[in-house]
Amino acid sequence: MTSPADPHAGGGAVEQQKKLKLLAVTACPTGIAHTYMAAEKLQQAADAAGIDMKVETQGSIGAENVLTDNDVRDADGVIIAADKDVDRARFAGKRVLSVGVSEGISHPEQLIERVQSAPVAGSEGGAAQEAAASGGKERSAAYKALMNGVSFMIPFVVVGGLLIAVSLAIGGHATPDGIQIPKDTFWFNVNALGTLGFKLMLPIFSGYIAFALGDRPALVPGMIGGFLAADASIYGSDANAGFLGAIVTGFLAGYIVLAIRKIKVPKAIQPIMPIIVVPIASTLAVGLAFIYILGGPISWVFTHLTDFLGGMTGSSAVLLGALIGLMIAFDMGGPVNKTAFLFAVGLIGTNNAVMGMAAAAIPVMPLGQGLATMIRRRLYTDAEREAGIAALFMGCFGISEGAIPFAAARPAQVIPANMLGGAVAGAIAGLAGVEDSVPHGGPIVAVFGAISGLAMFFVAIVAGTVVTAVTTNALVGVSNRRAAAKQAGSAESEAGATPAPVARGAATGATATATTTATATAVATEAPEVLSGYLTGRTVKVQLDAQDKEAAIRELAGLAAGTGKVADVDELVRTALRREEQGTTGLGEEIAIPHAKTDAVTAPVVCFARSDEGIEWGSLDGTKARLVFMISVPEAAAGDEHLRILALLSRKLMDTDFRARLQAAPDDAAILRVLAEVQ
């Protein structure tokens, strides 16, 4: 038996006891390269400092290397490097440092230093104030909460809207009370299901905004607040608060829950706080505040706007039409919209022209937002483009709620564009004397023969739709450019001591020569399989000709086309550039990995090229991209395999020696041999 006095045994025991143990979680919204590169950089920094670290990655393929209860129990601190919500409840009682994923890539050593003095997470980890106290460059808690609500709301809008649209198209009939579906019919039941989806839309939206801020205890008050926003009868108004009201109740519920959490209570009461006390107290606070404080102003707005419109009936039809259109487009179901709609409905039979103005404006918002996603696809995510298609369909049937997800996600850009388009449509309809004899809007009303002045009715809709789409894209484009400039400026200021360029060795003198077909064939025959065969001699280029990001992506797309796996090169380029709009794929350390998921390619293909001069890619550490990979996969094949390969590639590229050898490889065959090490 070894004696405790043994200096080696005793010293080792003390050293082992004092060895720091840290955990980390990395995640980005797309869940691909940044997630894994941040994980690798943190792991490398910990290894270099002699610190035990385990990193959980929450990528598109799901959580990997998941932290266990034992891991958390033994940990001295937790680093969360993420640009999306990460559940912090499991880290209660531990020091938690929360930053953006880019910090994990750019400053891993600093994060390891800072986590040792980070605040301790409370018993309901994940509260917004803990994230704020941790510092770093996260998206704001409010922004993430709003996006959380939008993402959960979209399926309800799409499903509810499409079911209503289909049921109206097939089973509907024009009546003096609007387009009606006979009871006890199949399509009546389909319509009821769609209506139920719409009824759940605002509660889901409000509830998940609150959930993102205050965790599970905030879900109940958030959803009940959303129901209040959707049902005006509770607070005695003819117009509900709409999606703007749901935003208010969602944030109100979330922040009230956070405030209640700060209250110190006796130890005996603490276990029931999150399941009884907090939900009940916050629900009462949100509900009563909405009924007694917000409900009155909403009713007041409805009443006075109705009186105001009543005083305008003798004024210019163009001015009245523009005002009706502005109001219809403003809040899509809220008090302003409902005032204009019910005012127009009340005049049916005595002045059908006012309903004609409203009917022309009603479809403009969803049609305009749907068109916007089609004419500048690169500005929108895949989910937004899919929602845009559904919005176009809903717009044809006069379902203005199809535009709500867009307005909720980008209110500052979308609401003004909607209002401008609605005003144009209403003004044209008013000028032309368009009339509508039923309380409904959109092209479907014309199909049922309720419109007089049919040609100008469609002119008004088309004009308003185009104005909305063009204005939306212009405003979103300006917003994106400002955000990109801010991000680039921040990255440049943080770069500090830019990492020295990786060794290029003898590559410089040999990179200009083009590879012949015979050589490419020989490389393909002799080289080992690289990245499951997605990368071959035909998709490697020793030296890029391009001098900028877009040209480089186009050049790499041309390489991919040489494999015969690309059906539409231009669409592949557009898809890759749209991905860049969402966030740079310049990952730092002179690496860029642009990627595209599109049916413009028929099978997965990976391209690689080098640039001696480097290409400005907006990288997180300010370095130019000298090693550029491009990964292209068809929609149908975008499963786990290519994401796993991307994860392996991202991690391997963190190896300085690997990058140096990849940069120094003199030709295609040597490059492929180096890349074959990615396992």
Side-chain angles (χ1 to χ4, degrees):
M1 178 181 292
T2 305
S3 169
D6 186 310
H8 297 288
V14 173
E15 182 181 346
Q16 184 67 25
Q17 289 174 355
K18 290 184 177 180
K19 191 170 186 181
L20 197 64
K21 295 183 179 180
L22 298 178
L23 303 179
V25 180
T26 62
C28 64
T30 52
I32 308 181
H34 293 81
T35 299
Y36 301 106
M37 295 190 76
E40 194 66 17
K41 292 288 281 187
L42 285 166
Q43 189 68 64
Q44 288 179 358
D47 292 344
I51 295 170
D52 281 345
M53 176 175 278
K54 180 177 180 180
V55 186
E56 174 181 305
T57 54
Q58 295 186 6
S60 293
I61 55 178
E64 297 178 283
N65 204 31
V66 176
L67 306 177
T68 66
D69 291 342
N70 289 338
D71 292 329
V72 175
R73 183 192 63 210
D74 297 336
D76 297 302
V78 182
I79 298 170
I80 298 176
D83 284 340
K84 67 177 186 179
D85 286 323
V86 172
D87 182 13
R88 296 179 174 87
R90 53 185 166 155
F91 304 133
K94 298 294 178 181
R95 294 189 181 277
V96 177
L97 175 68
S98 182
V99 297
V101 70
S102 63
E103 292 285 295
I105 298 173
S106 304
H107 306 122
E109 296 85 0
Q110 293 179 19
L111 299 185
I112 290 173
E113 180 78 20
R114 289 167 55 195
V115 73
Q116 298 176 52
S117 58
V120 175
S123 60
E124 294 175 0
Q129 70 269 30
E130 291 169 2
S134 300
K137 291 197 167 178
E138 284 190 296
R139 287 283 198 174
S140 71
Y143 174 85
K144 288 202 274 189
L146 184 63
M147 292 302 101
N148 197 55
V150 170
S151 66
F152 279 98
M153 173 180 65
I154 285 176
F156 290 86
V157 176
V158 172
V159 172
L162 294 184
L163 287 178
I164 291 173
V166 170
S167 63
L168 289 175
I170 300 176
H173 303 283
T175 72
D177 295 326
I179 300 172
Q180 301 287 333
I181 303 173
K183 292 184 178 180
D184 301 324
T185 65
F186 173 78
W187 293 112
F188 180 85
N189 293 328
V190 172
N191 185 271
L193 291 174
T195 302
L196 183 59
F198 264 14
K199 285 182 179 178
L200 290 171
M201 173 180 67
L202 295 185
I204 291 294
F205 180 41
S206 177
Y208 280 97
I209 289 174
F211 177 81
L213 291 169
D215 217 333
R216 285 185 294 272
L219 191 58
V220 171
M223 285 196 170
I224 289 177
F227 270 108
L228 287 171
D231 188 354
S233 63
I234 297 175
Y235 45 89
S237 175
D238 292 326
N240 63 48
F243 84 94
L244 293 176
I247 292 175
V248 171
T249 57
F251 281 105
L252 187 61
Y255 286 121
I256 285 176
V257 167
L258 293 179
I260 295 174
R261 281 177 172 170
K262 294 180 179 179
I263 300 173
K264 301 295 183 182
V265 297
K267 204 167 188 180
I269 299 177
Q270 288 178 1
I272 65 170
M273 285 291 290
I275 59 175
I276 297 178
V277 177
V278 174
I280 290 177
S282 56
T283 297
L284 284 171
V286 172
L288 295 178
F290 201 87
I291 292 171
Y292 290 109
I293 299 175
L294 298 177
I298 291 170
S299 181
W300 183 90
V301 166
F302 177 83
T303 301
H304 284 76
L305 282 177
T306 302
D307 293 341
F308 174 71
L309 287 174
M312 289 191 64
T313 51
S315 63
S316 165
V318 174
L319 180 60
L320 180 59
L323 183 59
I324 291 287
L326 281 170
M327 294 173 67
I328 288 288
F330 174 67
D331 53 3
M332 290 160 285
V336 177
N337 168 282
K338 195 64 71 179
T339 296
F341 179 75
L342 293 180
F343 175 76
V345 169
L347 292 176
I348 291 178
T350 58
N351 188 352
N352 289 354
V354 179
M355 191 64 226
M357 302 168 191
I362 284 170
V364 163
M365 298 82 76
L367 291 176
Q369 296 306 319
L371 180 62
T373 64
M374 295 181 67
I375 60 180
R376 289 195 68 185
R377 294 173 60 85
R378 62 185 292 181
L379 294 178
Y380 300 91
T381 65
D382 289 341
E384 287 173 325
R385 290 194 293 273
E386 291 166 4
I389 294 172
L392 286 171
F393 195 72
M394 283 185 261
C396 292
F397 293 88
I399 302 171
S400 60
E401 288 86 349
I404 285 179
F406 298 94
R410 296 184 177 95
Q413 292 80 38
V414 171
I415 292 177
N418 283 348
M419 292 174 66
L420 184 58
V424 169
I428 292 175
L431 178 65
V434 172
E435 295 187 354
D436 179 12
S437 59
V438 300
H440 200 79
I444 190 174
V445 180
V447 173
F448 287 113
I451 297 293
S452 65
L454 192 61
M456 290 306 297
F457 176 66
F458 280 103
V459 168
I461 291 174
V462 170
T465 298
V466 171
V467 167
T468 293
V470 171
T471 306
T472 297
N473 284 339
L475 294 176
V476 171
V478 169
S479 176
N480 286 354
R481 285 193 292 274
R482 285 177 178 171
K486 184 177 180 181
Q487 180 181 5
S490 176
E492 187 174 326
S493 65
E494 287 180 0
T498 302
V502 296
R504 292 198 287 271
T508 307
T511 55
T513 57
T515 305
T516 63
T517 303
T519 304
T521 304
V523 168
T525 303
E526 297 172 7
E529 185 176 81
V530 178
L531 298 176
S532 297
Y534 296 163
L535 193 150
T536 68
R538 282 187 288 184
T539 59
V540 169
K541 189 165 187 179
V542 177
Q543 176 61 36
L544 278 169
D545 298 322
Q547 301 297 313
D548 60 66
K549 182 196 296 189
E550 183 171 346
I553 287 175
R554 189 168 295 279
E555 192 171 339
L556 288 165
L559 278 182
T563 66
K565 298 177 182 178
V566 180
D568 187 339
V569 175
D570 289 338
E571 179 57 26
L572 174 57
V573 172
R574 285 193 293 269
T575 303
L577 291 175
R578 282 196 297 270
R579 172 60 187 84
E580 294 294 329
E581 290 282 347
Q582 297 173 31
T584 180
T585 58
L587 305 177
E589 303 289 359
E590 302 180 324
I591 302 161
I593 311 181
H595 38 276
K597 182 175 69 173
T598 171
D599 287 331
V601 294
T602 57
V605 58
V606 180
C607 302
F608 169 72
R610 298 187 309 215
S611 171
D612 281 344
E613 298 300 322
I615 297 171
E616 183 56 56
W617 215 282
S619 297
L620 298 171
D621 62 358
T623 59
K624 292 184 176 181
R626 289 186 166 88
L627 303 174
V628 185
F629 293 83
M630 182 168 172
I631 300 174
S632 309
V633 295
E635 292 274 0
D640 288 356
E641 185 179 6
H642 89 282
L643 294 175
R644 291 187 185 279
I645 290 173
L646 181 53
L648 290 172
L649 181 61
S650 302
R651 285 171 171 149
K652 188 65 176 176
L653 285 167
M654 291 296 95
D655 183 339
T656 304
D657 178 65
F658 175 80
R659 296 198 308 271
R661 288 185 288 109
L662 185 57
Q663 190 71 279
D667 53 33
D668 304 20
I671 288 172
L672 287 172
R673 285 194 294 272
V674 175
L675 289 174
E677 298 175 21
V678 180
Q679 298 293 337

